Amino acid sequence: MLQWIILALGLYLCAGGHWFAGLLLVLISGRWLAAAVGVLLLALAAAALMAASDSTPSDIRTPGRPMEPLSAPRGPEPVSYGVGDAAFAAWLAAPNVHGRPAAGLEATAVADGMDGRNVAAGVAGEDSVARMLASMGIRDAHVFLSCRNPGDATGRADIDVVVVSGRTVWLLDAKHYRPASPDAYLVPTPGLDAMRGGGELRAYDSNTNLNVPVGSLAGVAPVRTYHAGGNMAWAADSVRSGLPAGLDVRPVVLLSRTTGGVYGVMRGTMFPGAVPVMQADAWASAFTDAPADPRAVGYFGRLLKS
């Protein structure tokens, strides 16, 4: 009986990480077969705990962990989602659709001195995301196109798209990034998610071994870099402070379809302020249509730019 007690105590110490004392007690107990089985079970339990911890987003974002694809690169697909101009105009006139795409961008582009190509890309991205929404058969949620950022006193900063579904408020920022190559991914940049200002978002293709920790890419030149601003985190903070309690505000950067395809996205890729980056189609496939909370509908109705 005493031997079994000593064995149990030894296994308990091993489980707590005190391997030297635990193994010493196991040896003293003389119960070799039982000890072997116990150690095996401990090893399996430890492996299961490690696998569970690997699945958490915060761990995956850690530079010391290998990157994992969130979405694979997509080839060229119709940027209009098959929604023609007449059908799009009819959708824009629906009672649960408010505003028009790129109204905020067009209004401020001249005043801000934006490059013409950047303006064209921004308009194309917002138009593609709007047509995606038009193709989704949304009946109950409300869509707001081109809203003012309530935290910006100048009225220039805008939110491309707001979708209110139930008590969930999606703030969507459309990015029209034409991939640098057909198999390129946007990858996490260490520390970018914690920034409040701007930074670089990097893209790498298959010539780079992407099955590596994020930090190991620090000295590897990306195929392209993009400016990642903090406007969406700013907008989300401003909206949260203005909306009534009980509404869930979720900012997301969406990669719109382009004539050259869509970047793949590595898990944990974010804009400043921990705003996640997703392919537009991936967001659409996970969207749930629900009757919009009227409090949010009234709030965003007052923020429309058009």
Side-chain angles (χ1 to χ4, degrees):
M1 183 64 179
L2 179 61
Q3 290 175 311
W4 288 108
I5 294 175
I6 295 173
L7 173 61
L9 180 59
L11 292 176
Y12 176 79
L13 290 174
C14 287
H18 304 288
W19 290 97
F20 180 81
L23 290 175
L24 182 61
L25 289 177
V26 167
L27 289 173
I28 293 174
S29 74
R31 299 292 180 177
W32 300 103
L33 180 59
V37 172
V39 171
L40 177 60
L41 291 175
L42 285 173
L44 291 174
L49 286 173
M50 290 179 65
S53 66
D54 282 347
S55 66
T56 61
S58 60
D59 283 343
I60 291 171
R61 287 201 302 271
T62 302
R65 293 188 178 275
M67 289 185 290
E68 298 180 7
L70 176 65
S71 300
R74 299 174 70 100
E77 300 168 278
V79 296
S80 67
Y81 290 82
V83 179
D85 290 344
F88 190 47
W91 178 76
L92 290 173
N96 64 328
V97 179
H98 316 271
R100 60 185 180 85
L105 178 61
E106 293 169 342
T108 59
V110 175
D112 290 343
M114 292 180 63
D115 179 84
R117 287 175 298 180
N118 291 337
V119 173
V123 170
E126 292 189 42
D127 184 79
S128 180
V129 169
R131 290 179 190 256
M132 177 190 75
L133 293 167
S135 73
M136 291 168 56
I138 296 173
R139 295 289 181 267
D140 298 318
H142 276 244
V143 177
F144 299 84
L145 305 169
S146 298
C147 286
R148 177 173 53 84
N149 179 342
D152 178 25
T154 70
R156 291 184 179 180
D158 65 303
I159 306 168
D160 294 345
V161 181
V162 177
V163 181
V164 181
S165 180
R167 294 186 176 182
T168 301
V169 177
W170 294 100
L171 308 182
L172 307 178
D173 189 28
K175 295 299 180 187
H176 191 76
Y177 293 164
R178 183 185 174 95
S181 64
D183 53 0
Y185 281 82
L186 295 179
V187 308
T189 300
L192 183 61
D193 58 329
M195 293 181 186
R196 302 307 294 183
E200 283 189 349
L201 185 64
R202 301 168 188 172
Y204 295 86
D205 62 16
S206 60
N207 293 322
T208 307
N209 179 11
L210 289 175
N211 187 27
V212 296
V214 175
S216 66
L217 294 177
V220 180
V223 295
R224 192 166 293 167
T225 61
Y226 294 92
H227 175 74
N231 183 58
M232 283 302 286
W234 175 28
D237 289 343
S238 301
V239 167
R240 288 190 183 105
S241 65
L243 280 174
L247 295 169
D248 182 17
V249 179
R250 302 184 187 183
V252 183
V253 172
L254 295 187
L255 303 181
S256 69
R257 289 183 179 182
T258 79
T259 55
V262 184
Y263 275 107
V265 181
M266 284 292 175
R267 193 177 299 276
T269 303
M270 296 189 177
F271 264 50
V275 177
V277 177
M278 296 180 67
Q279 293 175 345
D281 288 82
W283 178 86
S285 66
F287 175 75
T288 300
D289 187 21
D293 189 302
R295 298 173 299 171
V297 172
Y299 177 81
F300 288 106
R302 295 188 293 272
L303 294 179
L304 283 173
K305 280 197 167 184
S306 55

